[in-house]
Amino acid sequence: MLRTDLNDALKQALRARDARTAATLRLILAALKDRDIAARSEGNSDGISDDQIRQMLQKMVRQSREASKTYADAGRDDLAEKEEQEIKVLQRFLPRQLDEAETREAVDRTIEELGADSVKDMGTVMNRLRTDFAGQMDFAKASKVAKQRLT
């Protein structure tokens, strides 16, 4: 279970005296605890599922990438590097992401399978991609590729 993996990784980072990894894992676990509390108030006593944890981690990766870019643009390379290190820790708990070529291939294959031929089919294509590649694809990039192919 992903929740157990996160706790075990924190213990390992603390034993190894890896402050950066430990801080990132504490950040993840704090966000997870917040989401669990919100889920319990909605009647889910077990907290959030592994899929929801992955979605949370993906969101954290996106936020760190944006922050890293902002810091780099502002000339704060030290803070940009810190964000990049956090991204590496976060990605350890996510499935391998498809690169651009693999994303284009997946979009093309999905369009062909569905017989999509216009922008009107965009929603259907994206829904299939979200189902088939949950956690493995940057859907903003996939959406751009699909839009190019369908216009």
Side-chain angles (χ1 to χ4, degrees):
M1 207 173 161
L2 195 51
R3 187 181 308 269
T4 306
D5 293 344
L6 289 164
N7 283 310
D8 290 345
L10 176 59
K11 290 175 191 173
Q12 185 178 3
L14 291 171
R15 278 189 213 110
R17 301 189 190 283
D18 184 352
R20 174 78 64 218
T21 301
T24 301
L25 290 166
R26 283 187 178 124
L27 180 71
I28 294 168
L29 291 169
L32 177 57
K33 187 175 254 182
D34 286 344
R35 301 246 170 119
D36 282 343
I37 291 169
R40 284 188 198 113
S41 69
E42 295 171 1
N44 184 352
S45 62
D46 294 335
I48 63 175
S49 68
D50 278 359
D51 285 339
Q52 291 170 315
I53 294 172
R54 282 187 196 92
Q55 289 173 357
M56 177 189 77
L57 293 174
Q58 287 171 333
K59 182 177 181 181
M60 292 174 87
V61 167
R62 278 193 304 273
Q63 290 170 336
S64 289
R65 279 196 179 118
E66 290 171 10
S68 176
K69 183 181 181 325
T70 302
Y71 289 138
D73 291 347
R76 294 296 311 264
D77 294 332
D78 55 329
L79 295 175
E81 178 60 30
K82 177 182 174 244
E83 293 293 335
E84 290 298 323
Q85 290 172 352
E86 285 184 9
I87 290 169
K88 288 177 185 171
V89 173
L90 290 163
Q91 287 178 331
R92 287 178 26 199
F93 302 98
L94 291 170
R96 187 184 75 78
Q97 296 291 301
L98 300 178
D99 62 24
E100 280 192 48
E102 292 170 323
T103 298
R104 287 187 178 145
E105 182 181 322
V107 169
D108 290 341
R109 189 172 52 246
T110 302
I111 288 171
E112 187 177 317
E113 287 173 4
L114 295 173
D117 59 358
S118 72
V119 178
K120 291 180 186 178
D121 299 319
M122 183 84 166
T124 307
V125 171
M126 291 308 297
N127 284 336
R128 173 70 69 86
L129 289 170
R130 282 189 181 92
T131 301
D132 293 349
F133 297 97
Q136 299 176 320
M137 183 182 288
D138 181 345
F139 294 107
K141 290 179 183 175
S143 177
K144 290 178 185 175
V145 171
K147 191 172 185 178
Q148 286 176 336
R149 299 291 196 262
L150 294 172
T151 53

